[in-house]
Amino acid sequence: MANTTELLSFVQEKVLEMEKEADQEGLSSDPQLCNDLELCDEAMALLDEVIMCTFQQSVYYLTKTLYSTLPALLDSNPFTAGAELPGPGADLGAMPPGLRPTLGVFQAALELTSQCELHPDLVSQTFGYLFFFSNASLLNSLMERGQGRPFYQWSRAVQIRTNLDLVLDWLQGAGLGDIATEFFRKLSIAVNLLCVPRTSLLKASWSSLRTDHPTLTPAQLHHLLSHYQLGPGRGPPPAWDPPPAERDAVDTGDIFESFSSHPPLILPLGSSRLRLTGPVTDDALHRELRRLRRLLWDLEQQELPANHRHGPPVATPP
């Protein structure tokens, strides 16, 4: 993905140069130039497809791993006996055990994007997708937990809020704070609602709660309130009932987040960092090219009958 992005940026810049020169020299209708530009368009379309495919595969495997680690943010207790909560910028090893697997995925992905020198725009979009998935997955799990057993209570909410704050602080230290805050906003607001002290929550009305938690849909807000644990035999107060104007949205609305509403991938334009027209002076690159050439030759020879095989390719000096 990183290499293809650089190639696409390089080709885009060259096409712009060719078109500019053609306009200046009055060669816009030259058949050879038109053919060259058409071939460039085909090449750019293919590079687009490669980037899209590699992005989809990358986030697929990362989210597949996150799917198994994220539930610990809802279930684990950061206030274990004798444990001291880590401050901002803490190392991964200092984080509560329940958070380390999820943060480990984010850390590994960040290290890979750095090692591969992935374009900054694609780094932001990769983590934007990971945070979008994490927010939707956790919010859906939170909604599901309240249906079958007592889960919506202040003590549990404080644990979840603390876990989420620790994750956001760690991501802030990794340079991903703004992206994480944006995509975790809905989960944060849902948890904030559950963190309101019970005495204060009982004094609130539906309209005030809708105003204070605007990103929650009427169906989601009603679900959280109707399953909130107020005590044995105690149901939601009448003030939490939605007005007639919103009753239909409550009854027919979906409490779960859709995974299909993720932000689209926008390919970066220009700003190629590779100078592909300059001389190659890195001996390590030549060694890798020779190794690749030998690998391709070996694969080709395996497909040939024994009497048609030849010796290995002769290495040429750089």
Side-chain angles (χ1 to χ4, degrees):
M1 180 162 58
N3 290 338
T4 307
T5 304
E6 289 296 320
L7 288 173
L8 178 60
S9 297
F10 176 80
V11 174
Q12 288 172 336
E13 292 173 357
K14 287 300 176 182
V15 168
L16 290 176
E17 291 177 6
M18 292 167 61
E19 292 176 338
K20 184 177 180 180
E21 291 177 2
D23 289 339
Q24 292 175 346
E25 298 175 9
L27 300 175
S28 301
S29 58
D30 180 72
Q32 182 60 49
L33 176 62
C34 293
N35 182 63
D36 291 344
L37 291 175
E38 184 177 346
L39 291 175
C40 288
D41 287 340
E42 293 177 2
M44 288 190 292
L46 180 60
L47 293 173
D48 280 353
E49 186 176 344
V50 172
I51 296 172
M52 293 291 186
C53 180
T54 51
F55 178 84
Q56 291 170 356
Q57 289 298 303
S58 297
V59 297
Y60 169 76
Y61 286 105
L62 287 169
T63 53
K64 186 177 180 180
T65 305
L66 283 171
Y67 185 77
S68 63
T69 67
L70 286 170
L73 273 71
L74 302 180
D75 297 325
S76 63
N77 181 6
F79 306 107
T80 53
E84 194 171 320
L85 295 180
D91 292 334
L92 183 59
M95 303 298 288
L99 306 184
R100 291 174 198 163
T102 294
L103 293 179
V105 175
F106 293 146
Q107 184 178 61
L110 188 60
E111 290 173 352
L112 282 172
T113 59
S114 177
Q115 293 168 7
C116 296
E117 299 184 22
L118 185 63
H119 193 285
D121 289 352
L122 289 182
V123 173
S124 299
Q125 293 185 75
T126 298
F127 279 97
Y129 189 95
L130 297 182
F131 297 155
F132 160 83
F133 172 86
S134 300
N135 174 81
S137 180
L138 286 168
L139 188 61
N140 289 348
S141 295
L142 183 66
M143 293 294 168
E144 191 176 12
R145 297 291 179 86
Q147 291 179 327
R149 55 194 173 95
F151 194 82
Y152 300 156
Q153 47 191 313
W154 181 83
S155 59
R156 171 79 69 170
V158 170
Q159 293 179 16
I160 299 173
R161 179 72 261 178
T162 302
N163 282 334
L164 186 57
D165 286 341
L166 289 172
V167 169
L168 293 175
D169 286 345
W170 189 91
L171 292 171
Q172 180 70 42
L176 300 168
D178 292 342
I179 306 173
T181 299
E182 176 185 352
F183 283 98
F184 278 105
R185 180 172 290 114
K186 195 163 192 177
L187 175 65
S188 291
I189 288 179
V191 176
N192 287 346
L193 170 64
L194 299 177
C195 282
V196 176
R198 185 170 57 182
T199 54
S200 300
L201 198 57
L202 286 170
K203 299 176 184 177
S205 65
W206 173 268
S207 60
S208 66
L209 291 171
R210 284 280 286 143
T211 301
D212 294 340
H213 307 86
T215 62
L216 296 177
T217 66
Q220 290 171 333
L221 178 60
H222 182 262
H223 177 81
L224 293 172
L225 293 174
S226 60
H227 291 85
Y228 189 84
Q229 300 301 306
L230 292 172
R234 193 169 184 181
W240 291 359
D241 290 339
E246 293 188 277
R247 173 53 65 179
D248 185 61
V250 168
D251 294 338
T252 61
D254 194 350
I255 63 174
F256 298 113
E257 291 293 292
S258 171
F259 288 100
S260 62
S261 58
H262 58 81
L265 177 63
I266 301 175
L267 299 182
L269 298 175
S271 66
S272 172
R273 291 171 293 177
L274 294 180
R275 302 275 68 86
L276 299 181
T277 56
V280 178
T281 59
D282 188 352
D283 290 339
L285 177 60
H286 286 287
R287 287 194 297 270
E288 284 299 310
L289 290 175
R290 287 195 292 269
R291 185 188 66 80
L292 180 60
R293 184 183 181 190
R294 177 57 188 260
L295 173 64
L296 294 175
W297 180 86
D298 288 340
L299 293 174
E300 180 181 315
Q301 292 299 304
Q302 292 174 11
E303 300 294 326
L304 296 176
N307 61 328
H308 289 178
R309 296 176 185 174
H310 306 285
V314 178
T316 57

